[in-house]
Amino acid sequence: MPLFVETLLDILSQLNSTSADIQASAIVSKDGLVMAALLDNNVDEDRVAAMTTAVYTQANRILREIHLGKLRQVLVKAEQGYALVTATDEQTLLLTLFKKDASLGFIFLNCTRSAKKIAATGIVKPSPRNGLVYLSK
């Protein structure tokens, strides 16, 4: 496994270990590509990545239309829990799935911290042909 994937998986593992309420997490590109994921085996990672990007894109359009500024996070509440999409930088998103009884403030704090760690890795532009490309900051 390439070092950059191990680095991203380590960040996800650390995030998931901060709360028993976190059920899964993934790092996806804004192009809809999976960069790293800790999801259930029965979940289609590619489909989840594409839907994560779609949710982010639609929410971003709404915010632009009503002039609320740059999108930071999108929270989707469902009967059985939540999906939180956090922008990590200009190219990547962090998806976190957690239980309905979770402490939202604690989850938001840990997702924000993890997003900063992801951005600090310098892994910012995925390429389907070449894997991930490192860009200096």
Side-chain angles (χ1 to χ4, degrees):
M1 180 180 312
L3 181 60
F4 59 80
V5 174
E6 288 181 22
T7 300
L8 295 178
L9 287 172
D10 185 51
I11 293 169
L12 292 178
S13 180
Q14 289 173 25
L15 171 62
N16 290 6
S17 71
T18 62
S19 172
D21 292 327
I22 295 177
Q23 298 169 309
S25 58
I27 301 167
V28 303
S29 73
K30 289 184 181 175
D31 296 333
L33 301 173
V34 178
M35 298 170 72
L38 294 177
L39 301 170
D40 289 337
N41 290 336
N42 61 344
V43 175
D44 182 343
E45 290 182 1
D46 293 328
R47 181 173 286 190
V48 169
M51 289 187 285
T52 299
T53 301
V55 166
Y56 178 86
T57 300
Q58 292 301 318
N60 203 29
R61 284 182 186 159
I62 293 167
L63 293 182
R64 279 198 315 262
E65 186 68 29
I66 59 177
H67 309 290
L68 282 180
K70 188 175 181 180
L71 178 58
R72 304 266 186 233
Q73 292 179 311
V74 179
L75 179 67
V76 178
K77 182 178 180 182
E79 291 177 357
Q80 299 301 315
Y82 296 90
L84 179 65
V85 179
T86 305
T88 63
D89 54 38
E90 295 302 316
Q91 299 294 327
T92 56
L93 303 168
L94 169 64
L95 170 66
T96 310
L97 306 176
F98 53 98
K99 297 176 184 175
K100 65 180 178 180
D101 296 329
S103 169
L104 292 180
F106 186 68
I107 300 292
F108 276 55
L109 173 68
N110 286 307
C111 288
T112 300
R113 287 179 177 167
S114 295
K116 289 178 182 177
K117 289 179 186 177
I118 294 163
T121 64
I123 303 169
V124 295
K125 183 61 179 165
S127 170
R129 292 188 189 138
N130 303 323
L132 302 176
V133 178
Y134 290 83
L135 300 178
S136 60
K137 294 188 176 199

